[in-house]
Amino acid sequence: MDVNNWFEVEDPEEYGEEPWDFSEAELAFVAALRARAAYWQVPWAPSQVGRPEDESSLLVHISLLDEARRLVLGEWAVRFSGTHVRAGKVSDQFFHLHESPESGFFRASGTVEELAERCARWFESLLDRPVVRVEWPLKGGRHATHWEFADTGEVLVAQGSLPADGSPPAHRHQVRP
């Protein structure tokens, strides 16, 4: 894959804001992360680099999508602060993180290179997980649908109420290989 496809730096001037003022450590972290991503053998997903609303750290994030349905299934982010990172599943539009191990949250300290390596491995493992859309037909031609990681059954997004009788789904569609 082309290194330029991963972790593009957002342009705040598009939104009428001041340009980012990244530190040397932040620029080195992004460069190291992008260099590792250049060798990934995973399906592409949107990814960006910027700052959270409070501008407290460098923010690097990816989004898993069901492109056919134009639906974001989840976002995962790393907050880099010089010698440490916090990483996990995003909980809201401000890129706060679910701080539980069940949601993949972790903290790490180390050099820029060590942190970029750990975060690159973490992002790659997320992007390598297969995602399926599971559908149950309901009355009136509607469907209950949820998207899950196929390897664990962890539900990412749900729409509609699942049948109370516990009936198996009618369809399983691969969303991400």
Side-chain angles (χ1 to χ4, degrees):
M1 295 213 150
D2 181 354
V3 71
N4 294 322
N5 285 337
W6 294 105
F7 306 113
E8 290 294 321
V9 176
E10 287 183 353
D11 181 6
E13 292 175 333
E14 286 182 25
Y15 308 105
E17 298 174 7
E18 294 296 314
W20 302 126
D21 185 20
F22 293 128
S23 70
E24 273 187 48
E26 290 170 333
L27 293 171
F29 178 80
V30 171
L33 188 61
R34 292 181 85 204
R36 283 161 179 76
Y39 296 101
W40 289 349
Q41 299 296 310
V42 295
W44 180 85
S47 61
Q48 288 188 310
V49 175
R51 292 213 185 276
E53 288 289 318
D54 64 6
E55 297 192 22
S56 60
S57 60
L58 177 77
L59 177 71
V60 180
H61 64 96
I62 61 167
S63 303
L64 293 184
L65 308 174
D66 180 339
E67 292 185 50
R69 300 283 176 101
R70 297 178 185 219
L71 179 69
V72 175
L73 304 176
E75 294 182 298
W76 288 262
V78 168
R79 289 174 170 254
F80 173 81
S81 299
T83 59
H84 65 279
V85 294
R86 294 174 46 245
K89 189 171 185 182
V90 172
S91 65
D92 59 28
Q93 72 273 16
F94 299 111
F95 289 92
H96 293 116
L97 305 176
H98 290 285
E99 293 196 19
S100 70
E102 297 81 28
S103 65
F105 179 80
F106 72 88
R107 294 177 195 268
S109 297
T111 68
V112 168
E113 284 292 321
E114 291 167 341
L115 294 173
E117 177 65 31
R118 171 128 190 229
C119 293
R121 282 194 319 265
W122 179 69
F123 277 133
E124 183 179 24
S125 71
L126 285 167
L127 293 164
D128 197 35
R129 296 180 71 186
V131 175
V132 294
R133 183 177 67 245
V134 184
E135 299 174 332
W136 291 261
L138 301 174
K139 293 180 181 176
R142 296 178 299 126
H143 286 84
T145 306
H146 74 230
W147 289 258
E148 65 184 41
F149 282 125
D151 57 348
T152 63
E154 176 188 345
V155 176
L156 299 168
V157 175
Q159 293 180 339
S161 299
L162 299 181
D165 64 3
S167 59
H171 305 285
R172 293 179 69 84
H173 306 280
Q174 188 169 6
V175 174
R176 287 183 58 87

